[in-house]
Amino acid sequence: MLALQLPADIEKRLDDLARKTGRSKSEYIRDILIEHLEDLQDLQVAEDRLRELQSGAAGTRSLRDLMKSHGMEN
């Protein structure tokens, strides 16, 4: 269980949306949190990968090798 306080203007917007759509405020908050957490996790993976590439830890592959590894050789 999580309790949070929202600024009045945000809560009013959420109330209006919930009333107009018939969905609960909790449903909207849950969906928003899930989507945002997924975005943050994707960003973290990308940043980690970039650091690996910049440090040389990930190594590099030629386009030909990459295509071959995915069955795209001619």
Side-chain angles (χ1 to χ4, degrees):
M1 179 69 169
L2 176 69
L4 64 119
Q5 290 183 325
L6 297 172
D9 60 321
I10 301 296
E11 183 144 13
K12 181 176 180 341
R13 290 171 60 191
L14 187 57
D15 283 334
D16 291 345
L17 182 62
R19 188 175 39 259
K20 288 177 184 176
T21 62
R23 292 182 65 197
S24 71
K25 293 189 295 184
S26 292
E27 287 178 277
Y28 279 111
I29 296 296
R30 185 174 35 255
D31 290 349
I32 290 165
L33 280 172
I34 288 169
E35 184 174 338
H36 192 66
L37 282 172
E38 288 172 353
D39 289 346
L40 290 172
Q41 289 170 322
D42 289 346
L43 179 60
Q44 186 62 54
V45 168
E47 288 174 347
D48 290 345
R49 181 68 176 138
L50 180 59
R51 276 192 293 279
E52 287 175 8
L53 289 170
Q54 289 172 335
S55 71
T60 58
R61 297 171 66 185
S62 70
L63 178 59
R64 177 175 283 132
D65 289 343
L66 186 60
M67 290 177 69
K68 186 176 179 179
S69 70
H70 290 282
M72 299 172 65
E73 54 191 321
N74 1 4

